[in-house]
């Protein structure tokens, strides 16, 4: 009311806040599971493997949709999209608006709550390493952006990542309900490629052109300036950009390999269906020919093709 703008910094009290929201996330997870996913599972009668994947995708669809809407609201109201310069101007961004800090704390709480959920959901042992790797990567990137004062860049990157993940898990849910419906996977493929291009462009813009122009180029951990001075060195800057490009290229290569394998399986399935249909048609044709050779029945009487009786006539003796 008096025009004061309150901003926040990270500290040890964040751990208590994160712990509180871990319990909130566990409760919300149970609510979505019991009142939505379990009811759908009982109708679909899925196998154990599909049941586990359906639950995973259902929970992540709810989380990614909420996060995309929330993150989009934050970046729009804070002006990060309308003014891309704000992603690196006045770095380090030590003091955060309330909604930015709260968003990061909730993100950390959600991915930390996913660890005990592996036990509560009775995830299969084969799936645990993959899910642990995914959780660790999310925690590493979100905590890194939060602690290294790259929260603005982190918000945009999370928005792009969550958007692609939402379409992927939504496509999986539709596929589990109807295995012949794979249209959403094509939508996910387009969104994935577009988000990768935006991500790479954003990295080049911020690392290659933004951070090297920051006024404060000295190492100053007390002020939160950890590594902007490194980007003043063109060799270091090009090395980082090369690593980023190689990483994105590896992700795209895996994606292309997956799509090619998926299309190959699709065309093999279609060709096998055509061969089966052709074989069935040939069998029906042979059946018709056999009936035509041996005559056909009409009103209980076997007749030949020209309509005459197939039995030979007896000649009367003169």
């Amino acid at each position: 009311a008096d025009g004061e703008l309150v901003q926040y910094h990270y500290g040890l009290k964040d751990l208590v806040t994160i712990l509180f929201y871990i319990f909130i996330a566990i409760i919300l997870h149970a609510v979505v599971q019991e009142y939505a996913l379990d009811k759908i599972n009982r109708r679909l009668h899925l196998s154990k493997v599909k049941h586990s994947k359906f639950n995973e995708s259902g929970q992540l669809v709810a989380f990614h949709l909420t996060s995309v809407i929330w993150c989009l609201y934050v970046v729009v109201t804070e002006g990060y999209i309308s003014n891309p310069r704000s992603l690196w101007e006045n770095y380090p961004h030590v003091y955060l608006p309330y909604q930015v800090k709260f968003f990061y704390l909730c993100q950390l709480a959600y991915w930390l709550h996913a660890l005990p959920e592996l036990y509560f959901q009775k995830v299969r042992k084969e799936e645990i390493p993959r899910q642990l790797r995914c959780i660790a990567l999310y925690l590493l990137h979100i905590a890194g952006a939060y602690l290294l004062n790259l929260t603005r860049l982190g918000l945009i990157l999370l928005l792009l990542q969550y958007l692609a993940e939402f379409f992927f898990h939504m496509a999986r849910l539709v596929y589990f309900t109807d295995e012949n419906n794979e249209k959403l996977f094509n939508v996910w493929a387009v969104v994935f490629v577009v988000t990768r291009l935006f991500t790479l462009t954003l990295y080049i813009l911020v690392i290659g052109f933004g951070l090297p122009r920051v006024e404060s180029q000295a190492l100053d951990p007390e002020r939160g300036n950890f590594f902007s001075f490194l980007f003043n060195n063109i060799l270091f800057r090009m090395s980082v950009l090369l690593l980023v490009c190689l990483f994105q290229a590896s992700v795209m290569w895996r994606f292309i390999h997956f799509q090619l394998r998926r299309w190959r399986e699709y065309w093999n399935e279609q060709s096998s269906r055509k061969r089966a249909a052709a074989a069935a048609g040939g069998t029906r044709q042979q059946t018709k020919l056999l009936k035509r050779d041996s005559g056909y029945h009409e009103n209980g009487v076997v007749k030949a093709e020209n309509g005459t009786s197939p039995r030979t006539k007896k000649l009367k003796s003169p």
Side-chain angles (χ1 to χ4, degrees), residues 7-276:
Q7 292 186 322
Y8 298 84
H9 185 44
Y10 59 78
L12 292 177
K13 293 181 180 179
D14 289 346
L15 299 177
V16 181
T17 308
I18 291 172
L19 179 62
F20 173 76
Y21 283 104
I22 285 175
F23 293 119
I24 298 297
I26 292 175
I27 294 172
L28 293 177
H29 189 114
V31 169
V32 173
Q33 183 68 41
E34 182 175 355
Y35 292 98
L37 298 179
D38 285 346
K39 291 183 178 180
I40 299 174
N41 273 317
R42 282 193 289 269
R43 293 183 179 180
L44 296 178
H45 304 289
L46 299 175
S47 62
K48 290 185 178 180
V49 176
K50 290 184 177 181
H51 180 83
S52 176
K53 293 182 177 180
F54 184 88
N55 288 337
E56 178 190 357
S57 292
Q59 293 288 346
L60 289 175
V61 161
F63 169 71
H64 288 316
L65 179 61
T66 304
S67 297
V68 165
I69 296 173
W70 189 4
C71 189
L72 184 62
Y73 173 79
V74 172
V75 297
V76 169
T77 55
E78 295 295 331
Y80 300 153
I81 293 181
S82 59
N83 182 22
R85 288 175 171 269
S86 61
L87 297 179
W88 62 81
E89 281 183 344
N90 301 320
Y91 179 83
H93 308 130
V94 179
Y95 298 105
L96 308 175
Y98 170 77
Q99 59 180 352
V100 175
K101 180 180 176 65
F102 186 54
F103 177 81
Y104 270 93
L105 294 182
C106 289
Q107 292 294 314
L108 291 171
Y110 178 85
W111 290 110
L112 285 172
H113 111 281
L115 295 173
E117 285 295 342
L118 295 176
Y119 173 76
F120 295 147
Q121 294 292 322
K122 298 180 180 179
V123 177
R124 296 184 303 122
K125 292 182 179 180
E126 297 81 5
E127 292 289 324
I128 290 179
R130 178 186 63 83
Q131 296 201 22
L132 284 177
R133 186 166 59 250
C134 178
I135 294 169
L137 286 173
Y138 272 112
L139 287 174
L140 178 65
H141 286 81
I142 295 172
Y146 183 65
L147 297 175
L148 297 177
N149 302 315
L150 289 169
T151 51
R152 299 180 184 182
L153 177 63
L155 282 172
I156 305 297
L157 293 177
L158 277 178
L159 177 62
L160 295 173
Q161 175 67 18
Y162 285 165
L163 186 63
E165 288 292 310
F166 167 74
F167 280 102
F168 172 72
H169 289 288
M170 193 67 197
R172 281 218 306 183
L173 289 181
V174 174
Y175 175 77
F176 288 141
T177 56
D178 182 11
E179 292 187 355
N180 295 322
N181 191 349
E182 297 185 3
K183 294 180 180 179
L184 266 182
F185 279 110
N186 298 327
V187 177
W188 164 71
V190 175
V191 174
F192 181 85
V193 173
V194 172
T195 53
R196 290 303 99 189
L197 292 176
F198 271 104
T199 300
L200 184 59
T201 304
L202 196 61
Y203 272 120
I204 295 174
L205 182 64
V206 175
I207 296 176
F209 300 99
L211 289 177
R213 298 182 180 181
V214 174
E215 295 179 359
S216 177
Q217 294 289 347
L219 177 62
D220 191 0
E222 293 183 358
R223 294 185 63 250
N225 193 345
F226 293 102
F227 52 80
S228 65
F229 71 98
L230 295 174
F231 292 99
N232 200 23
N233 186 342
I234 187 171
L235 182 61
F236 178 81
R237 186 163 69 247
M238 295 304 296
S239 300
V240 173
L241 288 176
L242 180 62
L243 288 175
V244 169
C245 292
L246 289 176
F247 175 74
Q248 294 297 326
S250 66
V251 172
M252 285 301 300
W253 169 250
R254 291 177 59 188
F255 171 77
I256 293 172
H257 180 71
F258 168 76
Q259 289 296 327
L260 290 175
R261 184 180 62 186
R262 175 171 162 260
W263 288 338
R264 185 165 57 250
E265 291 175 354
Y266 173 77
W267 289 115
N268 289 337
E269 183 180 355
Q270 291 296 321
S271 62
S272 63
R273 287 181 179 179
K274 288 181 180 179
R275 286 196 298 268

Side-chain angles (χ1 to χ4, degrees), residues 262-313:
R262 175 171 162 260
W263 288 338
R264 185 165 57 250
E265 291 175 354
Y266 173 77
W267 289 115
N268 289 337
E269 183 180 355
Q270 291 296 321
S271 62
S272 63
R273 287 181 179 179
K274 288 181 180 179
R275 286 196 298 268
T283 304
R284 286 195 296 269
Q285 190 69 21
Q286 291 178 359
T287 305
K288 288 182 180 179
L289 290 174
L290 290 174
K291 286 183 177 179
R292 182 174 296 179
D293 293 339
S294 60
Y296 65 94
H297 291 76
E298 184 177 338
N299 295 328
V301 179
V302 178
K303 292 187 177 181
E305 186 177 0
N306 57 3
T308 60
S309 176
R311 292 185 295 178
T312 56
K313 294 182 180 180

